């Protein structure tokens, strides 16, 4: 449901001596350009929380961690609603142990969140990734990495990524049992922009963002843009006998339309074709071309995370 989260807490006081007692803390002292006040920045890494930064002047605490790794030591596991409650309890306990502070979870503000899901597609992981590499999503560029390993749709502020989870585990030299668990998993990770988050929750409060409701809104919007049951044209399967019984001009038109539609996506194709878009779609259905792929649509089991 969620993986990496970056959160900020303001107006929290932590004594300098606390960081000195922790050890392995990188301290930087500098003048704040806006206020001209001397500021200390403390940076430290923990096994469970790999990124922790505290600014003494603004009394701001920033942390970044993978929720499933924090709870289970690995991120192959998909967390659910009850895991979120456990996460808050353990985080509060960890910060109390580290800094001696008690933090209200309602005070945390989300700066980054990775929404994720594991699709179990068996031996078709590469097939899905190859097909996804041909898709174009509105206002995003498509990037394919190592052919059948990763596909990324991104712009300056947001990103959607599909990748072979088992291959990623092997590259990162995960234990054999984790690699085995990742077999057949097509991983989806969505990194919404600040604007995307604020459109749902203006204050970006973590207790509101880290919910099933937020997960549903983000994932449903993405899944609506991706279909695996589009009609296409397999040129190799068009026989002379079949072609001789068709209106060849219409066949040419439909082949061209499908090529454009599959490359640019529905939204942009509609803008280009205008009112004729639906007429072309109807022609595709009437001619009944063979589909380009036989992949089933990806489906998220929302009930499993409640």
């Amino acid at each position: 449901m969620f993986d990496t989260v970056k959160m900020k807490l303001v107006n929290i006081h932590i004594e300098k001596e606390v960081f000195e007692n922790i050890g392995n803390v990188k301290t930087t002292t500098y003048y704040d350009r806006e206020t001209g006040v001397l500021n200390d920045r403390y940076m430290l890494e923990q096994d469970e929380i790999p990124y922790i930064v505290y600014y003494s002047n603004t009394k701001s605490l920033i942390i970044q961690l993978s929720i499933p790794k924090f709870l289970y030591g690995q991120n192959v596991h998909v967390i659910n609603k009850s895991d979120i409650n456990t996460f808050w309890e353990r985080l509060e306990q960890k910060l109390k142990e580290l800094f001696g502070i008690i933090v209200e979870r309602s005070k945390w503000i989300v700066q980054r969140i990775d929404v994720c899901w594991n699709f179990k597609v068996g031996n078709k992981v590469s097939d899905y990734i190859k097909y996804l590499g041909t898709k174009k999503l509105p206002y995003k560029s498509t990037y394919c990495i190592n052919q059948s390993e990763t596909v990324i749709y991104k712009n300056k502020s947001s990103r959607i990524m599909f990748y072979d989870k088992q291959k990623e585990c092997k590259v990162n030299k995960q234990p054999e049992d984790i690699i085995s668990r990742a077999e057949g998993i097509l991983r989806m990770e969505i990194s919404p922009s600040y604007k995307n988050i604020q459109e749902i929750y203006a204050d970006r409060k973590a207790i509101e963002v880290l919910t099933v409701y937020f997960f549903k809104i983000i994932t449903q919007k993405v899944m609506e843009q991706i279909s695996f049951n589009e009609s296409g044209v397999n040129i190799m399967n068009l026989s002379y006998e079949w072609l001789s019984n068709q209106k060849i001009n219409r066949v040419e038109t439909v082949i061209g339309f499908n090529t454009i539609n599959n490359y640019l996506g529905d939204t942009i194709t509609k803008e280009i074709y205008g009112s004729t878009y639906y007429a072309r779609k109807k022609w595709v259905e009437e001619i009944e071309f063979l589909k380009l792929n036989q992949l089933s649509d990806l489906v998220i089991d929302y009930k499993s995370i409640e």
Side-chain angles (χ1 to χ4, degrees):
M1 188 162 69
F2 300 111
D3 193 349
T4 299
V5 62
K6 185 176 183 180
M7 304 188 297
K8 182 178 182 179
L9 188 68
V10 296
N11 297 322
I12 187 75
H13 181 72
I14 304 177
E15 295 288 349
K16 180 179 180 179
E17 291 74 17
V18 172
F19 293 100
E20 293 174 348
N21 293 332
I22 291 175
N24 296 320
V25 177
K26 296 179 181 179
T27 305
T28 304
T29 301
Y30 63 96
Y31 283 101
D32 190 295
R33 291 183 179 180
E34 295 183 4
T35 64
V37 177
L38 199 63
N39 193 15
D40 291 320
R41 179 179 64 191
Y42 302 94
M43 298 183 66
L44 63 150
E45 298 178 9
Q46 297 283 305
D47 290 337
E48 296 170 301
I49 309 177
Y51 181 88
I52 304 174
V53 178
Y54 179 74
Y55 296 90
S56 64
N57 182 30
T58 58
K59 302 187 187 310
S60 300
L61 178 66
I62 301 172
I63 67 170
Q64 180 171 302
L65 75 163
S66 164
I67 297 176
K69 287 182 179 179
F70 183 71
L71 296 177
Y72 298 100
Q74 44 79 17
N75 69 346
V76 174
H77 182 88
V78 174
I79 64 171
N80 56 34
K81 185 177 180 180
S82 63
D83 288 321
I84 295 298
N85 294 328
T86 305
F87 162 70
W88 284 120
E89 292 171 358
R90 292 192 183 179
L91 179 61
E92 289 163 0
Q93 181 61 34
K94 183 65 178 179
L95 294 178
K96 185 178 179 180
E97 293 173 359
L98 271 176
F99 306 121
I101 59 175
I102 299 176
V103 179
E104 292 182 35
R105 60 186 70 173
S106 62
K107 301 296 184 180
W108 287 104
I109 302 299
V110 168
Q111 292 189 311
R112 169 195 167 186
I113 182 69
D114 286 349
V115 178
C116 63
W117 190 256
N118 290 341
F119 296 102
K120 297 180 181 179
V121 298
N123 61 1
K124 294 186 178 295
V125 175
S126 294
D127 295 334
Y128 275 95
I129 293 176
K130 287 177 182 178
Y131 177 75
L132 287 164
T134 68
K135 296 286 292 181
K136 300 291 180 181
L137 301 190
Y139 313 111
K140 285 183 174 62
S141 299
T142 303
Y143 301 90
C144 300
I145 301 173
N146 295 335
Q147 297 181 344
S148 60
E149 288 187 18
T150 305
V151 174
I152 302 173
Y153 310 102
K154 64 180 294 186
N155 53 34
K156 291 182 179 180
S157 59
S158 63
R159 182 189 69 176
I160 301 166
M161 180 166 63
F162 289 87
Y163 63 93
D164 186 322
K165 186 60 180 176
Q166 187 177 55
K167 286 184 178 179
E168 187 251 3
C169 288
K170 289 179 178 178
V171 169
N172 291 330
K173 298 181 180 180
Q174 295 292 313
E176 286 300 321
D177 63 316
I178 300 300
I179 293 175
S180 178
R181 287 179 59 182
E183 184 177 1
I185 290 179
L186 173 65
R187 175 80 159 199
M188 176 180 71
E189 292 185 2
I190 307 167
S191 301
S193 66
Y194 259 47
K195 183 179 179 181
N196 294 150
I197 299 173
Q198 287 179 320
E199 286 173 348
I200 304 170
Y201 293 115
D203 296 331
R204 292 181 287 110
K205 288 187 176 182
I207 59 170
E208 295 178 328
V209 174
L210 297 178
T211 59
V212 174
Y213 177 75
F214 181 83
F215 170 79
K216 285 183 177 179
I217 292 179
I218 295 297
T219 54
Q220 286 173 348
K221 185 176 181 180
V222 170
M223 300 311 295
E224 286 171 359
Q225 301 178 61
I226 298 173
S227 173
F228 295 85
N229 290 315
E230 298 171 343
S231 295
V233 184
N234 189 334
I235 303 297
M236 299 302 294
N237 290 336
L238 302 184
S239 66
Y240 169 79
E241 290 76 17
W242 184 86
L243 284 170
S244 63
N245 291 316
Q246 306 296 322
K247 295 179 179 179
I248 195 65
N249 290 342
R250 182 170 291 193
V251 171
E252 290 176 348
T253 300
V254 170
I255 289 175
F257 170 78
N258 268 275
T259 301
I260 293 171
N261 194 39
N262 289 332
Y263 182 72
L264 297 179
D266 290 335
T267 302
I268 298 177
T269 305
K270 286 179 184 177
E271 294 177 3
I272 295 173
Y273 277 81
S275 60
T276 62
Y277 173 83
Y278 296 100
R280 295 293 184 270
K281 278 287 190 179
K282 187 177 181 181
W283 283 7
V284 173
E285 295 173 1
E286 290 175 350
I287 296 178
E288 296 182 347
F289 281 120
L290 296 175
K291 291 183 177 180
L292 281 172
N293 65 84
Q294 300 298 321
L295 298 174
S296 300
D297 267 340
L298 299 174
V299 179
I300 295 176
D301 182 7
Y302 292 106
K303 292 183 179 179
S304 67
I305 58 176
E306 290 284 359

